[in-house]
Amino acid sequence: MTRAVERPQDSVAAADDPRLKDNETRNAFVTLGVLAIVLAVLPFVLNERFESIAVLTLIFALMAVAWNLMSGFGGLFSFGHAAFFGIGAYVDAYLVVEYGISPWIAMLLGAALATLVGIAIAFLCLRYQLAGAYFALATFAFAQMFLLLVQNLEFLHKTEGFNLPILGGESFWMLQFRQGSDLYIWIPAAILVLALAGVILYVHSRPGQFVQAVRDDAVAAASLGINVMRTKLIAVGLSCALTAVAGAFYTQYYFFVGPQQAFGAQVSIEAIIPAVIGGIGTIWGPLVGALIVGPLAELIDSVLRDPPAFIGFLQGVAGLDVAIYAALLIVIVLFMPKGIYGTLKERWRR
Amino acid sequence: MQERTWAASEAPDSDAAVGGIEKYRLPLAVAAAVPVVLVLIYTVGDKDTGLVTQSVVTGLLLGGVYALVSIGLTLIFGVLGVINFAHGAMLSLSMFLVFWLTSTLGLPVYLATVVAVPLMLGFGFVVQGGLLNRLTVSGNHEGSLLVTLGLSLLITNVLLMIFGGRPLSVPGSLEGAWRVFGAIASYERLIAFGGALLVALALTLVLNKTSFGMCIRAVSANSQGAALVGVNVGRVYALTFGIGSACVAVAGGLLAPFLSLTPTVGEEFTILAFVIVVLGGLGSVVGAMVGGIVIGLVQTVGALYLPGTGSLILVFAVFVIVLLFRPQGIFGVTR
């Protein structure tokens, strides 16, 4: 804990001690500022063809950042983030289609519902002391249950899903713009920057420090008076809310959501993989991971469309992109357990 | 029969003192509940009896299939504590292996299965020995979950690259069906059911009657203790994973005749196999058998009342309840 502790009685000399200055938070916000500027100019330098990749990468990043809150900092390995992503996506679709409510409000309501559901699930699991592998299995089972439930509920259109009504013009309030509009990048980018700012503040706040202490040694943390259950549930709630926001934006961007796109097991996997590749339990790791995983599919696609001679046999073959990031995942877990960003950071410090 | 009973064989009086019948109350209750529910459905279920018979037969046979897939998983999960998320992908792999052996070498499908078993055993041995052992030994369960997840994606997509996504079928399988009480049971599914029983029996014998089985049980009960008395824990882990994979190979070979093969064919089994393994109790071969049949029955008989995938919701509800209130499973004993 390098962070200065707020203690008003501290002498002036101690407060001025450079070792107690909170440089970490400041540096993180400087980095975030640079990132915000890069994302703001991104639509101007990016070919319109790459817009969808940028948006997909941003959604990946949001999910990975959210997953990392609960599973990286909180140490609760979730294998069912599809549940919360799906709740966000479906609440948005349902309210927009059936009641014509603004997606912004639907997004908030979806986040609230996902938070409640997430906290309820996590409470059950923690109350009955499911840890590690069992916790992962339980979250996975809940996500599957939601998938099956949605597939069988008439008012959620069963397996057909929702198509959003397409408005005539552009509307910020209804979150609809012409295709290729820069706002489709700016909005998730802004959400991501806000989310990262939230993560930075949270990680350096008391609940954030507490949850990391609980993750590292629950018994020791409890003996120091930390409410283990509450700190964990705070991390879970934040994570679920952010995941739901990502889901709502997904629905808005693709104008469609079905059970598999929202609640499928691959959604949970898509939240985990960028975070693991980038670095679990770091602020920037999930972002780094998303920047690698997001564009990979398109990159491989464009390579394979006109392959160099030595991999000519791969022309037109499907599945290579996932195979590559699956191999990357295995290699990273085995040889760089802190992820790419985490490992680089450690090297840097030495 | 499973993890804790194995431990009990080292300290025979500790568990026996707790109570003989007490220990079997829940398994017996479950075993008794299944026929009672079936009788109720027949008498007051308000459904055509022929239909019910057919779904019971289908459910039993489907349960056998589930059990066959789960037996390998329960061994891996029970002994190594590894959530083998690649289990379904390995099932796909062995099915495609059988497909390849039958279509290029012209082997009959059940002979191809016999060939596939040692190949998959070697595959599992290499996977555990080469990739997972370090994580297993250090107790990093999330790490091994992630590696097997990666492996699952890798296998599925490499199969997709080689064979493409179009459904394939294994040629030259056994046609025909057996009629029982007006219900139809195809020979292929009956053979799969018999195969499940055989594998369960063989595995139980290996675990309980051979010295290698004793090593596995010892490592499962206490890996440090086993290492102290000279068991090569790493090799036992690798061989256990290998045997688990060999069970998957048998499952793949017996399932291939009546499933259409796509690279994702095994995925749906992964989830159900976990449900069954947790339900039956970690490492319990008998539990996997019973759990498989119960889940198969719940799915098909439940489908009479909840059409479509609705019956699967029941399955997951059962799963979550077992996970929360009795994580050691029906055939497990309280730790």
Side-chain angles (χ1 to χ4, degrees):
Chain A
M1 292 227 274
T2 52
R3 173 174 176 273
V5 183
E6 301 92 340
R7 238 180 302 164
Q9 276 80 20
D10 269 3
S11 66
V12 183
D16 278 349
D17 192 331
R19 286 170 302 175
L20 287 178
K21 281 249 176 71
D22 189 2
N23 286 326
E24 226 173 274
T25 312
R26 201 196 56 200
N27 291 347
F29 274 112
V30 170
T31 316
L32 186 63
V34 174
L35 177 74
I37 294 167
V38 169
L39 286 173
V41 298
L42 190 66
F44 301 118
V45 294
L46 207 62
N47 190 326
E48 214 165 277
R49 195 162 68 79
F50 295 117
E51 189 212 65
S52 62
I53 306 165
V55 173
L56 192 67
T57 307
L58 286 167
I59 293 177
F60 270 142
L62 273 176
M63 288 166 65
V65 167
W67 182 84
N68 187 45
L69 266 179
M70 173 170 165
S71 306
F73 293 114
L76 298 164
F77 195 98
S78 161
F79 213 77
H81 255 50
F84 317 119
F85 184 85
I87 288 175
Y90 260 81
V91 166
D92 181 85
Y94 183 72
L95 292 179
V96 170
V97 171
E98 303 285 332
Y99 299 102
I101 288 175
S102 161
W104 295 103
I105 294 172
M107 204 179 256
L108 292 179
L109 290 176
L113 182 64
T115 305
L116 285 180
V117 171
I119 286 180
I121 293 175
F123 178 79
L124 272 180
C125 293
L126 295 173
R127 161 73 184 74
Y128 292 100
Q129 295 177 347
L130 295 187
Y134 282 94
F135 186 87
L137 272 184
T139 48
F140 183 70
F142 275 108
Q144 286 292 314
M145 254 168 32
F146 278 111
L147 171 68
L148 290 165
L149 208 60
V150 167
Q151 282 176 340
N152 286 283
L153 286 176
E154 193 59 61
F155 80 103
L156 293 177
H157 298 189
K158 294 195 167 175
T159 50
E160 280 163 25
F162 284 95
N163 282 301
L164 292 194
I166 296 175
L167 304 175
E170 302 198 354
S171 160
F172 187 77
W173 181 239
M174 289 309 287
L175 207 73
Q176 278 197 18
F177 315 102
R178 65 178 170 75
Q179 199 165 12
S181 165
D182 294 342
L183 280 163
Y184 274 132
I185 292 183
W186 277 333
I187 288 172
I191 296 174
L192 179 64
V193 169
L194 284 177
L196 282 169
V199 170
I200 294 168
L201 287 176
Y202 171 70
V203 166
H204 295 102
S205 73
R206 286 176 80 82
Q209 291 287 330
F210 283 175
V211 84
Q212 290 174 71
V214 169
R215 173 196 64 190
D216 293 339
D217 191 334
V219 177
S223 76
L224 292 173
I226 294 176
N227 184 335
V228 172
M229 179 68 94
R230 199 178 67 193
T231 44
K232 280 185 176 175
L233 291 185
I234 291 174
V236 171
L238 290 173
S239 170
C240 296
L242 185 57
T243 313
V245 168
F249 184 78
Y250 177 94
T251 309
Q252 288 300 320
Y253 183 69
Y254 290 100
F255 286 89
F256 167 75
V257 66
Q260 283 296 342
Q261 288 84 359
F263 290 100
Q266 85 283 352
V267 179
S268 303
I269 294 171
E270 280 162 3
I272 297 172
I273 287 182
V276 174
I277 288 180
I280 296 178
T282 61
I283 291 171
W284 306 106
L287 189 68
V288 172
L291 287 177
I292 295 169
V293 175
L296 192 66
E298 183 65 20
L299 185 74
I300 288 168
D301 234 30
S302 60
V303 170
L304 288 191
R305 223 170 289 141
D306 189 20
F310 67 101
I311 52 166
F313 65 94
L314 285 173
Q315 188 164 19
V317 165
L320 183 63
D321 53 329
V322 184
I324 286 180
Y325 78 59
L328 190 63
L329 177 72
I330 296 175
V331 169
I332 289 210
V333 174
L334 287 178
F335 301 107
M336 301 166 93
K338 295 196 169 70
I340 289 176
Y341 172 76
T343 309
L344 286 181
K345 193 171 126 188
E346 225 162 59
R347 285 273 162 79
W348 195 262
R349 277 203 180 143
R350 232 180 269 156
Chain B
M1 249 186 302
Q2 51 74 55
E3 207 182 349
R4 286 305 116 183
T5 326
W6 299 344
S9 62
E10 285 158 20
D13 31 31
S14 66
D15 258 339
V18 178
I21 303 171
E22 197 82 339
K23 207 166 71 174
Y24 295 106
R25 195 188 277 165
L26 191 67
L28 285 176
V30 170
V34 170
V36 168
V37 170
L38 286 181
V39 166
L40 276 177
I41 287 174
Y42 269 113
T43 51
V44 293
D46 196 29
K47 294 278 170 190
D48 178 38
T49 43
L51 208 61
V52 179
T53 313
Q54 180 62 54
S55 46
V56 168
V57 170
T58 316
L60 276 176
L61 293 178
L62 188 69
V65 167
Y66 288 162
L68 193 53
V69 179
S70 311
I71 289 170
L73 190 66
T74 198
L75 192 67
I76 293 171
F77 199 177
V79 175
L80 281 67
V82 169
I83 294 197
N84 180 18
F85 213 77
H87 206 71
M90 277 159 45
L91 183 66
S92 303
L93 178 64
S94 35
M95 284 194 211
F96 275 92
L97 197 59
V98 167
F99 170 80
W100 182 77
L101 287 169
T102 50
S103 59
T104 58
L105 302 183
L107 295 178
V109 59
Y110 294 119
L111 186 61
T113 309
V114 175
V115 178
V117 167
L119 292 176
M120 285 303 289
L121 194 135
F123 177 82
F125 186 86
V126 169
V127 164
Q128 176 68 30
L131 297 178
L132 290 167
N133 253 355
R134 232 162 15 130
L135 299 170
T136 315
V137 170
S138 64
N140 182 350
H141 297 313
E142 281 92 354
S144 42
L145 173 63
L146 286 168
V147 169
T148 54
L149 170 67
L151 197 64
S152 150
L153 294 171
L154 192 62
I155 293 174
T156 310
N157 285 281
V158 167
L159 287 177
L160 183 66
M161 284 160 66
I162 298 173
F163 293 98
R166 270 171 294 120
L168 304 167
S169 62
V170 170
S173 42
L174 202 60
E175 295 294 327
W178 184 49
R179 301 193 148 268
V180 49
F181 302 122
I184 298 167
S186 78
Y187 287 135
E188 287 160 351
R189 283 176 185 266
L190 281 170
I191 291 174
F193 190 87
L197 285 176
L198 266 182
V199 168
L201 191 69
L203 206 56
T204 312
L205 284 179
V206 167
L207 283 177
N208 291 320
K209 300 286 175 195
T210 65
S211 64
F212 174 64
M214 194 158 77
C215 287
I216 293 183
R217 288 183 289 141
V219 169
S220 164
N222 185 342
S223 57
Q224 274 182 341
L228 274 176
V229 295
V231 176
N232 185 341
V233 173
R235 212 185 55 186
V236 169
Y237 279 154
L239 275 172
T240 308
F241 204 96
I243 293 176
S245 313
C247 294
V248 171
V250 177
L254 296 181
L255 297 189
F258 53 87
L259 292 178
S260 59
L261 272 59
T262 60
T264 52
V265 64
E267 302 280 290
E268 60 177 303
F269 289 100
T270 311
I271 301 159
L272 283 171
F274 275 116
V275 175
I276 290 160
V277 165
V278 170
L279 191 67
L282 288 191
S284 165
V285 175
V286 181
M289 243 357 250
V290 176
I293 288 171
V294 168
I295 294 292
L297 282 174
V298 168
Q299 206 186 336
T300 52
V301 181
L304 292 175
Y305 298 94
L306 288 169
T309 49
S311 57
L312 275 177
I313 298 179
L314 282 181
V315 171
F316 279 101
V318 169
F319 179 55
V320 168
I321 290 167
V322 170
L323 209 49
L324 290 178
F325 297 104
R326 202 178 157 84
Q328 71 272 31
I330 292 170
F331 281 75
V333 180
T334 322
R335 288 160 201 203

